[in-house]
Amino acid sequence: MNVYILTHPASTTFYDCYDSLKKFGYDPIVINGYTRKDHLKPNELVFSSFRDKILPLAQETNLDMFFIEDDSIIKEPLPDCSNKELVRIGYYGNTKTGVIGANIVYINKTIYSTLEYDMEKTISQHIDMYFSKFCLKYDIDELIYPHFRWGEKKHISGIINKIRRHKKVLP
């Protein structure tokens, strides 16, 4: 299993995320994703970075992955999800249209080729809603892991251009 942190050079939260993973013995693979300088809309950055930079590496290693956004702080070891296809570990909530948040997502290698195929045919969008649509489209159980202890480092979000306010934001 590989742990990928999606970050960018100006991140103010990266080191806290990285340190929280190291504390539990993980050796995360750091991926510098796209930024606004790459002429993408804020809601396209994570999707495009995942599709173009993380997924190809994951396919190359052929190992299951944890995808982690660099504002996520884990407070316990990542759970064993190896018998599942896609599991939201860190997220904000659940609605009728899908799971909100993709801070920590487990993805089994068995769905990589389907994910690649679908992402190439889909326009860039918020990745949390994309994962929900993807699971529905391909009849993949979108599981949530509601009791994982994690938090989001307080910062100005590039998507909403202000500090996020939800129950997972750490003081």
Side-chain angles (χ1 to χ4, degrees):
M1 174 204 46
N2 283 328
V3 175
Y4 295 94
I5 298 176
L6 179 61
T7 191
H8 57 87
S11 174
T12 61
T13 60
F14 167 74
Y15 287 107
D16 293 304
C17 175
Y18 184 84
D19 290 345
S20 77
L21 289 161
K22 292 298 271 187
K23 176 182 171 184
F24 289 102
Y26 301 106
D27 190 18
I29 299 165
V30 179
I31 304 297
N32 278 306
Y34 294 119
T35 66
R36 288 187 184 186
K37 293 177 184 173
D38 295 304
H39 307 290
L40 294 169
K41 295 176 187 171
N43 68 321
E44 299 174 330
L45 295 171
V46 176
F47 178 97
S48 298
S49 296
F50 180 87
R51 178 193 63 212
D52 299 346
K53 298 181 177 206
I54 293 176
L55 188 55
L57 285 176
Q59 288 177 298
E60 198 174 292
T61 64
N62 199 33
L63 297 172
D64 299 346
M65 79 159 103
F66 277 98
F67 162 68
I68 301 179
E69 293 182 357
D70 71 353
D71 56 359
S72 305
I73 311 296
I74 66 168
K75 298 178 180 181
E76 66 180 286
L78 296 167
D80 177 14
C81 301
S82 57
N83 61 342
K84 308 296 181 202
E85 292 174 307
L86 190 143
V87 183
R88 302 280 186 111
I89 309 298
Y91 61 96
Y92 311 140
N94 201 357
T95 68
K96 291 179 183 178
T97 58
V99 179
I100 301 170
N103 288 70
I104 306 170
V105 180
Y106 168 82
I107 302 171
N108 192 297
K109 66 184 178 185
T110 60
I111 64 170
Y112 288 169
S113 60
T114 306
L115 197 52
E116 176 190 31
Y117 171 81
D118 194 69
M119 290 186 105
E120 289 299 327
K121 298 175 85 164
T122 303
I123 62 167
S124 293
Q125 58 191 281
H126 289 285
I127 197 153
D128 56 352
M129 296 316 292
Y130 169 75
F131 282 143
S132 291
K133 292 175 198 174
F134 170 78
C135 290
L136 185 62
K137 182 177 182 179
Y138 292 96
D139 197 28
I140 292 170
D141 287 332
E142 182 180 24
L143 301 173
I144 57 173
Y145 194 94
H147 303 295
F148 187 71
R149 294 184 310 124
W150 73 286
E152 181 178 319
K153 180 78 175 174
K154 190 175 185 178
H155 68 289
I156 296 175
S157 166
I159 302 274
I160 61 173
N161 204 26
K162 62 183 180 181
I163 295 175
R164 288 194 188 273
R165 306 274 185 218
H166 59 78
K167 63 184 177 185
K168 291 295 184 177
V169 175
L170 299 170

